[in-house]
Amino acid sequence: MNIFMKSGLILFAVSGLALPAQAAVHVFACEPEWAALAGELGGPDVDVYTATSALQDPHHIQARPSLIARVHNSDLVMATGAQLEIGWLPVLLRQSANAAVQPGNPGYFEAASYVKLLDVPTTVDRSQGDVHPGGNPHIQTDARNMLLVAAALNSRLQQIDPEHQADYQKRYEDFSHRWQDALVRWQQMAAPLHGIKLIAYHKGWAYMLRWLSMQEVGTIEPLPGIAPSAGYLAGLLKKQQGQPAAMVIYAAYQSAKASEWLGKRLHIPVVQLPFTVGGDDQAEDLFSLYDDTIKRLLKAAGH
């Protein structure tokens, strides 16, 4: 190592030393599930920042200056799309001054674009609550959707970072094989849940219900995004008496109060589900997210 002066500053000339490799692609993931997927496929070739946690409602995030700075320095923005982030992501993109990650460019990726969306409304107005015009955005609750998104993300990473194409492809193939094996296991685990009726806090589980063949018979929210009133909960309680659902479910970021009120009066289990990676201590990654979700549902159903 040689030390020399330039413009009053001490500079270091390093020779013969192996410097640590730097990640090629800086990823800004809007939700934890996409951060986890980017990590699976990108490995050491990506540096991933997660904008939200499992304990935050992804519909309502403040467009903080720190997030704007992160987007400014990103090579790839991964969003759910389907207007899930409509209240905050457009502000980040607009103020980031980063042309590469604007919609329509390779640096912008919407996971929902690669999945057939459910609950697509025929008409939309404010009287329906926070309805998403393009359909239900909570695609991560069906583990099968991850394979569709992973295939698209693999192609996008290779497009952005062609130097590491072979590495991305190898990691994608490895992930795909492990995921398909897990899907078989989860399908077998969840067999006792088929046909079970439940009440959900929010209409955030449409994809899980289809995947596991479960049935939603009511929601704690009278309309998506609208908090329940005492009168509404009393009406829901009356409808459920006699032949109540098997359980009430809610996401880790949602309040338990109304769900527990209803569950206690119907004498049925109330289940907090992680909803995404990090939603509880067991949901540490994508694989354990679905393991833990199914185990919690099975326990509530008495299996």
Side-chain angles (χ1 to χ4, degrees):
M1 178 181 294
N2 298 318
I3 304 176
F4 60 97
M5 298 290 294
K6 183 177 180 180
S7 301
L9 298 177
I10 298 178
L11 303 180
F12 297 86
V14 181
S15 61
L17 295 179
L19 297 178
Q22 298 297 312
V25 179
H26 296 279
V27 178
F28 179 97
C30 290
E31 288 83 29
E33 60 267 25
W34 310 130
L37 184 60
E40 288 277 358
L41 303 189
D45 295 320
V46 299
D47 174 55
V48 184
Y49 174 80
T50 315
T52 62
S53 78
L55 302 183
Q56 293 177 291
D57 184 345
H59 299 85
H60 307 293
I61 299 297
Q62 184 181 1
R64 305 186 305 276
S66 60
L67 293 180
I68 296 171
R70 287 282 184 175
V71 174
H72 174 75
N73 293 314
S74 295
D75 303 298
L76 178 66
V77 168
M78 283 190 69
T80 294
Q83 296 197 1
L84 175 64
E85 303 96 348
I86 191 66
W88 53 281
L89 183 56
V91 177
L92 300 184
L93 293 170
R94 187 168 58 250
Q95 296 188 15
S96 70
N98 185 348
V101 299
Q102 300 303 314
N105 290 330
Y108 181 76
F109 181 94
E110 284 192 355
S113 298
Y114 304 97
V115 173
K116 182 176 175 57
L117 296 182
L118 302 178
D119 299 339
V120 180
T122 54
T123 60
V124 177
D125 61 65
R126 295 307 301 171
S127 67
Q128 299 171 302
D130 291 337
V131 173
H132 297 276
N136 192 313
H138 304 297
I139 63 173
Q140 87 286 355
T141 62
D142 182 342
R144 296 173 299 182
N145 287 336
M146 282 294 164
L147 278 181
L148 301 174
V149 179
L153 179 59
N154 174 46
S155 297
R156 188 65 60 87
L157 288 170
Q158 292 188 37
Q159 180 183 4
I160 291 174
D161 181 23
E163 183 179 347
H164 297 100
Q165 282 182 342
D167 296 322
Y168 292 125
Q169 185 64 26
K170 182 178 180 180
R171 284 189 291 264
Y172 164 69
E173 291 174 1
D174 174 68
F175 172 79
S176 180
H177 290 148
R178 289 186 290 120
W179 200 257
Q180 290 181 63
D181 289 344
L183 284 174
V184 173
R185 176 167 54 82
W186 291 326
Q187 207 68 46
Q188 294 170 345
M189 283 177 59
L193 298 173
H194 292 185
I196 283 183
K197 298 178 180 179
L198 58 78
I199 298 168
Y201 184 91
H202 174 73
K203 279 196 169 294
W205 305 97
Y207 299 92
M208 184 191 77
L209 296 172
R210 181 186 62 173
W211 173 37
L212 302 182
S213 299
M214 302 179 77
Q215 182 181 354
E216 183 181 271
V217 295
T219 57
I220 299 293
E221 292 180 333
L223 294 168
I226 306 300
S229 65
Y232 172 80
L233 287 174
L236 182 58
L237 174 63
K238 185 176 181 181
K239 288 179 182 178
Q240 286 292 311
Q241 286 175 335
Q243 287 187 316
M247 66 185 77
V248 181
I249 65 172
Y250 68 99
Y253 71 85
Q254 293 162 342
S255 170
K257 187 176 180 181
S259 298
E260 290 177 347
W261 182 93
L262 185 65
K264 181 178 180 180
R265 284 156 180 79
L266 291 174
H267 306 289
I268 60 176
V270 178
V271 189
Q272 182 191 82
L273 296 178
F275 195 64
T276 187
V277 175
D280 58 47
D281 291 340
Q282 288 70 48
E284 297 177 330
D285 56 26
L286 285 175
F287 289 88
S288 57
L289 166 64
Y290 298 102
D291 277 329
D292 184 57
T293 296
I294 294 173
K295 287 177 182 177
R296 286 171 179 260
L297 291 170
L298 286 170
K299 182 179 179 181
H303 294 281

